Short mmCIF file of all heavy atoms in Angstrom, two decimals:
data_model
loop_
_atom_site.label_atom_id
_atom_site.label_comp_id
_atom_site.label_asym_id
_atom_site.label_seq_id
_atom_site.Cartn_x
_atom_site.Cartn_y
_atom_site.Cartn_z
N ASP T 610 0.83 -1.20 0.00
CA ASP T 610 0.00 0.00 0.00
C ASP T 610 0.87 1.25 0.00
O ASP T 610 0.61 2.20 -0.75
CB ASP T 610 -0.92 0.01 1.22
CG ASP T 610 -1.94 -1.11 1.18
OD1 ASP T 610 -2.32 -1.53 0.08
OD2 ASP T 610 -2.35 -1.57 2.26
N LEU T 611 1.90 1.25 0.83
CA LEU T 611 2.79 2.41 0.89
C LEU T 611 3.54 2.59 -0.42
O LEU T 611 3.78 3.72 -0.86
CB LEU T 611 3.78 2.23 2.05
CG LEU T 611 3.17 2.35 3.45
CD1 LEU T 611 4.15 1.85 4.51
CD2 LEU T 611 2.78 3.80 3.75
N GLU T 612 3.90 1.49 -1.07
CA GLU T 612 4.58 1.58 -2.36
C GLU T 612 3.67 2.22 -3.41
O GLU T 612 4.12 3.05 -4.20
CB GLU T 612 5.01 0.19 -2.81
CG GLU T 612 5.83 0.19 -4.09
CD GLU T 612 6.31 -1.21 -4.45
OE1 GLU T 612 5.49 -2.15 -4.38
OE2 GLU T 612 7.49 -1.35 -4.80
N SER T 613 2.40 1.86 -3.42
CA SER T 613 1.45 2.45 -4.37
C SER T 613 1.29 3.95 -4.14
O SER T 613 1.25 4.75 -5.08
CB SER T 613 0.09 1.76 -4.25
OG SER T 613 0.17 0.40 -4.62
N LEU T 614 1.22 4.36 -2.87
CA LEU T 614 1.11 5.78 -2.55
C LEU T 614 2.39 6.53 -2.92
O LEU T 614 2.33 7.67 -3.40
CB LEU T 614 0.79 5.95 -1.07
CG LEU T 614 -0.49 5.27 -0.58
CD1 LEU T 614 -0.69 5.52 0.92
CD2 LEU T 614 -1.71 5.77 -1.35
N TYR T 615 3.52 5.90 -2.70
CA TYR T 615 4.81 6.48 -3.09
C TYR T 615 4.84 6.75 -4.60
O TYR T 615 5.28 7.82 -5.05
CB TYR T 615 5.92 5.52 -2.68
CG TYR T 615 7.31 5.89 -3.15
CD1 TYR T 615 7.98 7.00 -2.64
CD2 TYR T 615 7.97 5.11 -4.10
CE1 TYR T 615 9.27 7.32 -3.05
CE2 TYR T 615 9.26 5.42 -4.52
CZ TYR T 615 9.90 6.52 -4.00
OH TYR T 615 11.17 6.85 -4.42
N HIS T 616 4.35 5.81 -5.39
CA HIS T 616 4.33 5.99 -6.84
C HIS T 616 3.43 7.16 -7.24
O HIS T 616 3.76 7.92 -8.17
CB HIS T 616 3.87 4.70 -7.53
CG HIS T 616 4.86 3.59 -7.43
ND1 HIS T 616 4.53 2.27 -7.61
CD2 HIS T 616 6.19 3.61 -7.16
CE1 HIS T 616 5.61 1.52 -7.47
NE2 HIS T 616 6.63 2.30 -7.19
N LEU T 617 2.30 7.31 -6.56
CA LEU T 617 1.42 8.45 -6.85
C LEU T 617 2.14 9.76 -6.55
O LEU T 617 2.06 10.71 -7.32
CB LEU T 617 0.15 8.35 -6.02
CG LEU T 617 -0.99 7.52 -6.57
CD1 LEU T 617 -2.13 7.43 -5.57
CD2 LEU T 617 -1.51 8.09 -7.90
N LEU T 618 2.85 9.81 -5.44
CA LEU T 618 3.55 11.04 -5.07
C LEU T 618 4.72 11.33 -6.01
O LEU T 618 5.02 12.49 -6.30
CB LEU T 618 4.05 10.94 -3.63
CG LEU T 618 2.95 10.96 -2.56
CD1 LEU T 618 3.51 10.53 -1.21
CD2 LEU T 618 2.32 12.35 -2.45
N LEU T 619 5.37 10.29 -6.51
CA LEU T 619 6.47 10.49 -7.46
C LEU T 619 6.01 11.23 -8.71
O LEU T 619 6.79 11.94 -9.34
CB LEU T 619 7.08 9.15 -7.86
CG LEU T 619 8.15 8.54 -6.95
CD1 LEU T 619 8.67 7.25 -7.56
CD2 LEU T 619 9.29 9.51 -6.71
N GLY T 620 4.74 11.05 -9.07
CA GLY T 620 4.22 11.75 -10.23
C GLY T 620 4.35 13.26 -10.11
O GLY T 620 4.51 13.96 -11.12
N LEU T 621 4.29 13.78 -8.90
CA LEU T 621 4.44 15.22 -8.70
C LEU T 621 5.81 15.68 -9.19
O LEU T 621 5.93 16.71 -9.87
CB LEU T 621 4.27 15.57 -7.22
CG LEU T 621 2.85 15.47 -6.67
CD1 LEU T 621 2.86 15.58 -5.16
CD2 LEU T 621 1.97 16.57 -7.28
N GLU T 622 6.83 14.93 -8.85
CA GLU T 622 8.17 15.31 -9.29
C GLU T 622 8.29 15.19 -10.81
O GLU T 622 8.93 16.02 -11.47
CB GLU T 622 9.23 14.44 -8.59
CG GLU T 622 10.63 14.81 -8.98
CD GLU T 622 11.62 14.63 -7.86
OE1 GLU T 622 11.34 15.01 -6.71
OE2 GLU T 622 12.71 14.12 -8.15
N TYR T 623 7.66 14.17 -11.38
CA TYR T 623 7.69 13.99 -12.83
C TYR T 623 7.10 15.20 -13.55
O TYR T 623 7.60 15.61 -14.61
CB TYR T 623 6.92 12.73 -13.21
CG TYR T 623 6.82 12.48 -14.70
CD1 TYR T 623 7.88 11.88 -15.38
CD2 TYR T 623 5.69 12.88 -15.42
CE1 TYR T 623 7.80 11.67 -16.76
CE2 TYR T 623 5.62 12.66 -16.80
CZ TYR T 623 6.67 12.07 -17.45
OH TYR T 623 6.60 11.86 -18.82
N TYR T 624 6.05 15.80 -12.97
CA TYR T 624 5.40 16.95 -13.59
C TYR T 624 5.95 18.29 -13.10
O TYR T 624 5.35 19.33 -13.34
CB TYR T 624 3.89 16.88 -13.36
CG TYR T 624 3.22 15.83 -14.21
CD1 TYR T 624 2.64 14.72 -13.62
CD2 TYR T 624 3.19 15.94 -15.59
CE1 TYR T 624 2.03 13.74 -14.41
CE2 TYR T 624 2.60 14.97 -16.38
CZ TYR T 624 2.02 13.87 -15.78
OH TYR T 624 1.43 12.90 -16.55
N GLY T 625 7.09 18.25 -12.45
CA GLY T 625 7.79 19.49 -12.14
C GLY T 625 7.52 20.09 -10.78
O GLY T 625 7.92 21.23 -10.51
N TYR T 626 6.88 19.36 -9.88
CA TYR T 626 6.61 19.88 -8.54
C TYR T 626 7.74 19.50 -7.59
O TYR T 626 8.33 18.43 -7.69
CB TYR T 626 5.29 19.32 -8.00
CG TYR T 626 4.08 19.86 -8.71
CD1 TYR T 626 3.54 19.18 -9.80
CD2 TYR T 626 3.47 21.05 -8.32
CE1 TYR T 626 2.42 19.66 -10.48
CE2 TYR T 626 2.36 21.54 -8.98
CZ TYR T 626 1.84 20.85 -10.06
OH TYR T 626 0.74 21.33 -10.72
N ARG T 627 8.01 20.41 -6.64
CA ARG T 627 9.03 20.18 -5.64
C ARG T 627 8.44 20.45 -4.25
O ARG T 627 7.60 21.32 -4.09
CB ARG T 627 10.24 21.09 -5.88
CG ARG T 627 10.91 20.88 -7.23
CD ARG T 627 11.57 19.51 -7.33
NE ARG T 627 12.20 19.30 -8.65
CZ ARG T 627 11.64 18.66 -9.66
NH1 ARG T 627 10.42 18.15 -9.52
NH2 ARG T 627 12.27 18.50 -10.80
N LEU T 628 8.94 19.71 -3.28
CA LEU T 628 8.43 19.83 -1.91
C LEU T 628 9.01 21.08 -1.25
O LEU T 628 10.23 21.23 -1.14
CB LEU T 628 8.80 18.58 -1.11
CG LEU T 628 8.26 18.51 0.32
CD1 LEU T 628 6.74 18.42 0.32
CD2 LEU T 628 8.86 17.30 1.05
N VAL T 629 8.13 21.98 -0.81
CA VAL T 629 8.56 23.22 -0.18
C VAL T 629 8.29 23.21 1.33
O VAL T 629 8.89 23.98 2.08
CB VAL T 629 7.87 24.44 -0.84
CG1 VAL T 629 6.38 24.47 -0.53
CG2 VAL T 629 8.52 25.75 -0.40
N HIS T 630 7.39 22.33 1.77
CA HIS T 630 7.01 22.32 3.19
C HIS T 630 6.51 20.94 3.57
O HIS T 630 5.80 20.29 2.81
CB HIS T 630 5.90 23.35 3.44
CG HIS T 630 5.23 23.20 4.78
ND1 HIS T 630 5.78 23.64 5.95
CD2 HIS T 630 4.04 22.63 5.11
CE1 HIS T 630 4.97 23.37 6.96
NE2 HIS T 630 3.90 22.74 6.48
N SER T 631 6.90 20.49 4.76
CA SER T 631 6.40 19.23 5.29
C SER T 631 6.44 19.27 6.81
O SER T 631 7.41 19.76 7.40
CB SER T 631 7.26 18.05 4.78
OG SER T 631 6.84 16.84 5.36
N ARG T 632 5.39 18.75 7.42
CA ARG T 632 5.39 18.63 8.87
C ARG T 632 4.45 17.48 9.28
O ARG T 632 3.39 17.29 8.69
CB ARG T 632 4.93 19.92 9.55
CG ARG T 632 3.47 20.28 9.32
CD ARG T 632 3.09 21.56 10.04
NE ARG T 632 1.72 21.97 9.71
CZ ARG T 632 0.66 21.76 10.50
NH1 ARG T 632 0.84 21.17 11.67
NH2 ARG T 632 -0.53 22.15 10.13
N PRO T 633 4.87 16.70 10.27
CA PRO T 633 3.98 15.66 10.80
C PRO T 633 2.89 16.32 11.64
O PRO T 633 3.13 17.34 12.28
CB PRO T 633 4.90 14.79 11.64
CG PRO T 633 5.98 15.73 12.09
CD PRO T 633 6.17 16.71 10.95
N ILE T 634 1.71 15.73 11.63
CA ILE T 634 0.60 16.29 12.38
C ILE T 634 0.63 15.72 13.80
O ILE T 634 0.69 14.51 14.00
CB ILE T 634 -0.75 15.94 11.71
CG1 ILE T 634 -0.77 16.48 10.28
CG2 ILE T 634 -1.91 16.50 12.52
CD1 ILE T 634 -0.53 17.97 10.15
N PRO T 635 0.61 16.59 14.81
CA PRO T 635 0.62 16.11 16.20
C PRO T 635 -0.50 15.11 16.46
O PRO T 635 -1.61 15.26 15.96
CB PRO T 635 0.41 17.40 17.00
CG PRO T 635 0.94 18.49 16.12
CD PRO T 635 0.61 18.06 14.72
N GLY T 636 -0.17 14.11 17.23
CA GLY T 636 -1.15 13.06 17.52
C GLY T 636 -1.06 11.88 16.58
O GLY T 636 -1.69 10.85 16.84
N SER T 637 -0.28 12.02 15.50
CA SER T 637 -0.16 10.91 14.53
C SER T 637 1.26 10.35 14.47
O SER T 637 1.55 9.49 13.64
CB SER T 637 -0.58 11.38 13.13
OG SER T 637 0.39 12.26 12.57
N ILE T 638 2.13 10.83 15.34
CA ILE T 638 3.55 10.45 15.30
C ILE T 638 3.79 9.17 16.11
O ILE T 638 3.23 8.98 17.19
CB ILE T 638 4.41 11.61 15.85
CG1 ILE T 638 4.18 12.88 15.02
CG2 ILE T 638 5.89 11.23 15.86
CD1 ILE T 638 4.81 14.13 15.62
N TYR T 639 4.62 8.29 15.56
CA TYR T 639 4.99 7.07 16.26
C TYR T 639 6.43 6.70 15.89
O TYR T 639 7.05 7.33 15.02
CB TYR T 639 4.03 5.92 15.91
CG TYR T 639 4.02 5.52 14.45
CD1 TYR T 639 4.72 4.40 14.01
CD2 TYR T 639 3.31 6.26 13.51
CE1 TYR T 639 4.71 4.02 12.67
CE2 TYR T 639 3.29 5.89 12.16
CZ TYR T 639 4.00 4.77 11.76
OH TYR T 639 3.99 4.41 10.44
N HIS T 640 6.97 5.70 16.55
CA HIS T 640 8.38 5.33 16.38
C HIS T 640 8.50 3.98 15.68
O HIS T 640 7.80 3.03 16.02
CB HIS T 640 9.06 5.25 17.75
CG HIS T 640 10.55 5.04 17.67
ND1 HIS T 640 11.42 6.02 17.23
CD2 HIS T 640 11.31 3.96 17.96
CE1 HIS T 640 12.66 5.56 17.28
NE2 HIS T 640 12.62 4.31 17.71
N ILE T 641 9.37 3.91 14.66
CA ILE T 641 9.70 2.65 14.00
C ILE T 641 11.02 2.15 14.59
O ILE T 641 12.08 2.75 14.35
CB ILE T 641 9.83 2.81 12.48
CG1 ILE T 641 8.54 3.38 11.87
CG2 ILE T 641 10.16 1.48 11.83
CD1 ILE T 641 8.61 3.57 10.37
N HIS T 642 10.96 1.09 15.35
CA HIS T 642 12.13 0.66 16.11
C HIS T 642 13.27 0.19 15.21
O HIS T 642 14.43 0.51 15.45
CB HIS T 642 11.73 -0.46 17.09
CG HIS T 642 10.80 0.01 18.17
ND1 HIS T 642 11.21 0.80 19.22
CD2 HIS T 642 9.46 -0.18 18.33
CE1 HIS T 642 10.18 1.07 20.02
NE2 HIS T 642 9.10 0.49 19.49
N ASN T 643 12.96 -0.58 14.16
CA ASN T 643 14.05 -1.11 13.33
C ASN T 643 14.73 -0.02 12.51
O ASN T 643 15.87 -0.19 12.07
CB ASN T 643 13.55 -2.23 12.42
CG ASN T 643 12.48 -1.76 11.45
OD1 ASN T 643 11.68 -0.89 11.79
ND2 ASN T 643 12.46 -2.32 10.24
N LEU T 644 14.06 1.12 12.31
CA LEU T 644 14.68 2.25 11.60
C LEU T 644 15.21 3.31 12.56
O LEU T 644 15.90 4.24 12.14
CB LEU T 644 13.66 2.91 10.66
CG LEU T 644 13.13 2.07 9.50
CD1 LEU T 644 12.14 2.89 8.67
CD2 LEU T 644 14.25 1.55 8.63
N GLN T 645 14.84 3.16 13.84
CA GLN T 645 15.22 4.15 14.84
C GLN T 645 14.83 5.55 14.38
O GLN T 645 15.64 6.48 14.35
CB GLN T 645 16.72 4.08 15.15
CG GLN T 645 17.13 2.83 15.91
CD GLN T 645 16.43 2.75 17.27
OE1 GLN T 645 16.59 3.62 18.12
NE2 GLN T 645 15.65 1.70 17.46
N ARG T 646 13.55 5.66 14.03
CA ARG T 646 13.08 6.91 13.44
C ARG T 646 11.62 7.15 13.82
O ARG T 646 10.81 6.21 13.84
CB ARG T 646 13.21 6.83 11.92
CG ARG T 646 12.67 8.00 11.15
CD ARG T 646 13.02 7.88 9.70
NE ARG T 646 12.53 9.01 8.92
CZ ARG T 646 12.85 9.25 7.66
NH1 ARG T 646 13.68 8.43 7.04
NH2 ARG T 646 12.36 10.29 7.01
N HIS T 647 11.29 8.40 14.09
CA HIS T 647 9.91 8.78 14.31
C HIS T 647 9.28 9.17 12.97
O HIS T 647 9.87 9.94 12.20
CB HIS T 647 9.80 9.96 15.29
CG HIS T 647 10.00 9.57 16.72
ND1 HIS T 647 11.25 9.53 17.30
CD2 HIS T 647 9.11 9.17 17.67
CE1 HIS T 647 11.13 9.14 18.56
NE2 HIS T 647 9.84 8.91 18.80
N VAL T 648 8.10 8.65 12.70
CA VAL T 648 7.35 8.98 11.50
C VAL T 648 5.91 9.27 11.93
O VAL T 648 5.60 9.31 13.12
CB VAL T 648 7.40 7.84 10.46
CG1 VAL T 648 8.83 7.60 9.98
CG2 VAL T 648 6.80 6.56 11.04
N ALA T 649 5.02 9.48 10.97
CA ALA T 649 3.64 9.82 11.30
C ALA T 649 2.69 9.20 10.29
O ALA T 649 3.10 8.83 9.18
CB ALA T 649 3.46 11.34 11.34
N THR T 650 1.44 9.11 10.67
CA THR T 650 0.41 8.64 9.74
C THR T 650 -0.24 9.81 9.01
O THR T 650 -0.99 9.59 8.05
CB THR T 650 -0.68 7.85 10.48
OG1 THR T 650 -1.23 8.66 11.53
CG2 THR T 650 -0.10 6.57 11.08
N LYS T 651 0.05 11.04 9.44
CA LYS T 651 -0.49 12.23 8.77
C LYS T 651 0.60 13.29 8.63
O LYS T 651 1.28 13.62 9.61
CB LYS T 651 -1.69 12.80 9.54
CG LYS T 651 -2.94 11.95 9.48
CD LYS T 651 -3.99 12.42 10.47
CE LYS T 651 -4.55 13.77 10.14
NZ LYS T 651 -5.69 14.13 11.03
N TYR T 652 0.73 13.80 7.42
CA TYR T 652 1.68 14.89 7.15
C TYR T 652 0.98 15.97 6.34
O TYR T 652 0.22 15.67 5.42
CB TYR T 652 2.87 14.39 6.32
CG TYR T 652 3.86 13.51 7.03
CD1 TYR T 652 3.67 12.13 7.08
CD2 TYR T 652 4.98 14.05 7.65
CE1 TYR T 652 4.58 11.31 7.72
CE2 TYR T 652 5.91 13.22 8.29
CZ TYR T 652 5.69 11.86 8.32
OH TYR T 652 6.60 11.04 8.95
N GLU T 653 1.29 17.21 6.67
CA GLU T 653 0.93 18.30 5.76
C GLU T 653 2.12 18.51 4.84
O GLU T 653 3.23 18.80 5.30
CB GLU T 653 0.63 19.59 6.51
CG GLU T 653 0.23 20.71 5.54
CD GLU T 653 0.12 22.08 6.18
OE1 GLU T 653 0.98 22.41 7.01
OE2 GLU T 653 -0.80 22.83 5.83
N THR T 654 1.91 18.36 3.54
CA THR T 654 2.97 18.59 2.56
C THR T 654 2.48 19.62 1.54
O THR T 654 1.31 19.61 1.17
CB THR T 654 3.37 17.29 1.83
OG1 THR T 654 2.23 16.80 1.09
CG2 THR T 654 3.81 16.23 2.81
N VAL T 655 3.39 20.48 1.12
CA VAL T 655 3.05 21.48 0.11
C VAL T 655 4.09 21.41 -1.00
O VAL T 655 5.29 21.40 -0.74
CB VAL T 655 3.00 22.90 0.73
CG1 VAL T 655 2.66 23.94 -0.35
CG2 VAL T 655 1.97 22.95 1.86
#
């Protein structure tokens, strides 16, 4: 599922869009132990 969503987002770069802003939404952040990284289920991206 994440791979399919990644492919959809890659289309933005193909059509000339670049990421100018990103932030995780409070309350949706969690930790991935094997990556030793905090990620989120919701992000605001522009």
Side-chain angles (χ1 to χ4, degrees):
D610 295 331
L611 290 167
E612 185 176 46
S613 296
L614 301 180
Y615 173 69
H616 290 161
L617 274 175
L618 290 167
L619 275 183
L621 288 169
E622 182 146 316
Y623 177 82
Y624 286 114
Y626 291 93
R627 300 293 179 262
L628 184 65
V629 69
H630 166 78
S631 176
R632 67 179 175 101
I634 302 303
S637 72
I638 301 171
Y639 63 101
H640 187 71
I641 302 180
H642 294 287
N643 62 325
L644 296 180
Q645 289 299 299
R646 175 173 181 170
H647 283 88
V648 297
T650 56
K651 288 169 67 173
Y652 288 88
E653 181 189 42
T654 63
V655 180

